[in-house]
Amino acid sequence: WARMESRFSWVVVVHGGASSGKSGTRSGRKKLEEIVNAVVEKAKQHHDLNPFSSLCELAQFLTVQSVCSLEDDPQFNAGTGSSLNEDGKAECDACIMEGSSGAFGSVGAVDLVKNPIVLAQAILNDQITGNPVSDMVLQPVMLV
């Protein structure tokens, strides 16, 4: 689902997955529309209270909010809706990149983390600021 926001001249596109599950149904498409609209509204509210300093900051906000929405909805194969491993656990991966610098943060096979994208974002911000998130981060940018 996609929505263009003319006030800020940006587009939000969210892909709900390619599985044969619920994400391809009419209710799945409706849910994607709701997610995109909610994320756009969050971005507008955030911008009104605390203006984004750059398009990169805006893009990171939109990305993390969109992925968190997918991770929080069991209808999508992300986070709470993830396929389980042979031990019956959801192990999730997430990655986010900042385009102007090429810095990125990623996590692999994490469990017991509500929103893996938030952890990946923390690692990304570590790469940008140089402040380590954890001693477990393998340089340059992956927590496994």
Side-chain angles (χ1 to χ4, degrees):
W1 183 260
R3 174 175 165 184
M4 176 139 182
E5 183 54 48
S6 59
R7 175 178 164 196
F8 297 106
S9 300
W10 38 263
V11 175
V12 177
V13 178
V14 176
H15 188 284
S19 70
S20 59
K22 297 178 187 174
S23 62
T25 65
R26 182 184 302 255
S27 66
R29 290 187 298 275
K30 180 70 174 156
K31 185 64 178 180
L32 285 173
E33 179 180 0
E34 291 169 6
I35 287 171
V36 168
N37 288 332
V39 167
V40 169
E41 292 308 313
K42 282 182 190 177
K44 286 198 257 182
Q45 291 169 5
H46 183 281
H47 184 75
D48 289 343
L49 296 173
N50 184 18
F52 295 104
S53 61
S54 68
L55 284 176
C56 288
E57 184 182 339
L58 170 62
Q60 189 178 129
F61 179 89
L62 292 168
T63 300
V64 170
Q65 291 298 313
S66 296
V67 174
C68 281
S69 296
L70 294 173
E71 290 173 341
D72 291 345
D73 192 316
Q75 184 165 318
F76 302 102
N77 188 5
T80 58
S82 293
S83 298
L84 303 180
N85 66 16
E86 55 189 37
D87 295 327
K89 293 183 178 181
E91 293 180 328
C92 300
D93 305 328
C95 183
I96 184 169
M97 178 178 233
E98 195 279 316
S100 65
S101 68
F104 71 95
S106 59
V107 296
V110 295
D111 62 349
L112 305 176
V113 175
K114 182 176 188 270
N115 293 108
I117 192 65
V118 173
L119 185 53
Q121 180 186 31
I123 295 168
L124 165 66
N125 289 334
D126 168 44
Q127 296 301 304
I128 294 170
T129 64
N131 298 320
V133 173
S134 165
D135 291 336
M136 296 182 347
V137 175
L138 303 174
Q139 292 300 319
V141 289
M142 178 91 177
L143 175 69
V144 182

